[in-house]
Amino acid sequence: MLRTSVLRLLGRPGTSGVSLLEYSSPRHYSSGPLGAPDDGRGARAFFTTPIFYVNAAPHIGHLYSALLADALCRHRRLQVPSAAATRFSTGTDEHGLKIQQAAAAAGLAPTELCDRVSAQFQQLFREAGISSTDFIRTTEARHRIAVQHFWGLLKARGLLYKGLYEGWYCSSEECFLPEARVTRQPGSSGDSCPVSLESGHPVSWTKEENYIFRLSQFREPLQRWLRGDPQAITPEPFHRAVLEWLEEELPDLSVSRKSSHLHWGIPVPGDDSQTIYVWLDALVNYLTVIGYPNAEFKSWWPTTSHIIGKDILKFHAIYWPALLLGAGMSPPHRIYVHSHWTVCGQKMSKSLGNVVDPRTCLDRYTVDGFRYFLLRQGVPNWDCDYYDEKVVKLLDSELADALGGLLNRCTAKRINPSGTYPVFCTTCFPSEPGLVGPSVRAQAEDYALVNAVATLPAQVADHYDNFQIYKALEAVSSCVRQTNGFVQRHAPWKLNWESPVDAPWLGTVLHVALECLRVFGTLLQPVTPNLADKLLSRLGVSATERGLGELYFLPRFYGHPCPFEGRRLGPETGLLFPRLDQSRAWLVKAHRT
Ligand code: ME8
């Protein structure tokens, strides 16, 4: 299937050099259900996280964004294993007034602060298993080249002009705010201080001659783009919110600051008295990492999926696509938006002292445990609350008891003394439900289980496509529960390997449960890579048998040979995920203090 849509941006006389800009959507290829998905990107996919400010250490919110992108990317790699087909970038946003001021407040040179905090992000992401292929720092030379080139294109297309710009500037949010978003708060000396209505951070009145981008020209092209591609911004409420914003007037945008005021940034080409606005600088990172301005970037743009928090939606869904259209490029393929983590019902903030350190969490709950918690509990549509007991409860019940218990039940020496993947008996479990006969043992619920697990990979893929990783994990967890029910129902521990009547059915029960576990292990790889590796290794599944293309569930049931039958199980017999509530002295202590 090949689909092409064209969006035309007509330049207005006297305002810009853009006469006719064509936007064509990428080709849509169809393929098998688990091969390269027919999602408009062909086989290539490029995932990005926001690049994070280096004014403060990373917290669980930053890690959550990186984990969402990591899981999407790892899932994609399971579908399209070629390393050359997927790219994934993250990094740090190091310029701007916010960093300039944070460095001054800390008595550091901006480069020192950037080096220090960027290294913390890199270390955290390494420890958390974030499998990015690039980590960009906006202070790198390659980025300055990309930004200045991009600026040159906008200039050449007549989209930048110099003018007087005035308004409230919030350095914490790095943007101008309209009067309606500014309020007054009593300051330390009792006087009334203007602050941002949303974040409560101080704002200051700024009046400067700046370069201004003709953003107002792009209101209609942006509306056409979003109306023509209802999934461009996912989940849907955010798509709707952006279209609502676009109902209002879209004023032009200041895209530089006086260098005397903001020196920590990239100078405007040909005009050292101005520094490029930090958001324009930051957004171009998505092009820098794919080689822009060299032509190689074209094979990755616009096959891009940006993963962002809701706080920076306007910058990604309005400014960025407008800048791209202005530079003659297409908007990104997808903008996946997630909401925020709060802590014990409160917004996480340095001043409240409730910022959750992700490295402590990785230590306490293990890398896989904490990855699982954030992705299982994080729901993009609305804010989610963090507290320690919730993590312990979830991990103990779903990873230690349900999944670990299931693996243990089917591989323990007393139940599986030969330590092999047992044989499936088609007479005990015929592929046609409802058959009766002396050796038929399978019941209606068992067919329901087989059906649920057989359709699970496609269901999970759909959830990933819709940016609902928590639903993918919910679906896996529900199948784990169903499989435990299956084992419980047939109580293999009551069957006897020595009995010619019991043995084929006992083997079949274990075979089905192991096949279910193989599917769960395969599907959990994007979220809990180490735990999934342990699980699949225990089942004897080799590294080349772990992709979605190779995942043929229960082939003997469908009349095909099973490569696992008779295979030795892996030697590692330790617990898959030890319960946490035994070892949480720190939790009790934390509550007393
Ligand atoms: O805005 N819960 O950087 P930033 C979940 N440099 N995610 C959260 C969160 C929370 N409580 N707090 C932050 C910037 N995040 C710019 C981005 S991109 C070209 C430039 C995550 O350090 C979320 O992804 O303030 C949010 O959008 C991002 O961190 C903001 O990070």
Side-chain angles (χ1 to χ4, degrees), residues 365-369 372 395-409 411 476 480 484 516-518 520-522 524 528-539 546 572-580:
Y365 306 119
T366 74
V367 168
D368 286 67
Y372 185 82
L395 299 184
D396 278 355
S397 92
E398 294 196 355
L399 294 187
D401 297 348
L403 188 66
L406 179 62
L407 178 68
N408 193 39
R409 281 169 134 187
T411 54
V476 172
V480 172
N484 269 315
C516 293
L517 278 163
R518 186 168 66 81
F520 307 148
T522 305
L524 283 173
T528 53
N530 307 301
L531 177 138
D533 173 45
K534 202 164 161 184
L535 169 54
L536 293 170
S537 299
R538 178 71 177 125
L539 300 182
R546 298 178 178 188
E572 182 57 64
T573 56
L575 285 181
L576 185 66
F577 190 88
R579 282 183 69 85
L580 291 158

Side-chain angles (χ1 to χ4, degrees), residues 50-53 59 61-62 65 93 279 286 309 311-312 338 340-341:
I51 49 169
F52 303 104
Y53 286 129
H59 58 59
H62 302 124
S65 297
D93 189 354
W279 265 104
Y286 301 132
D311 52 320
I312 54 176
H338 65 80
H340 282 177
W341 282 92

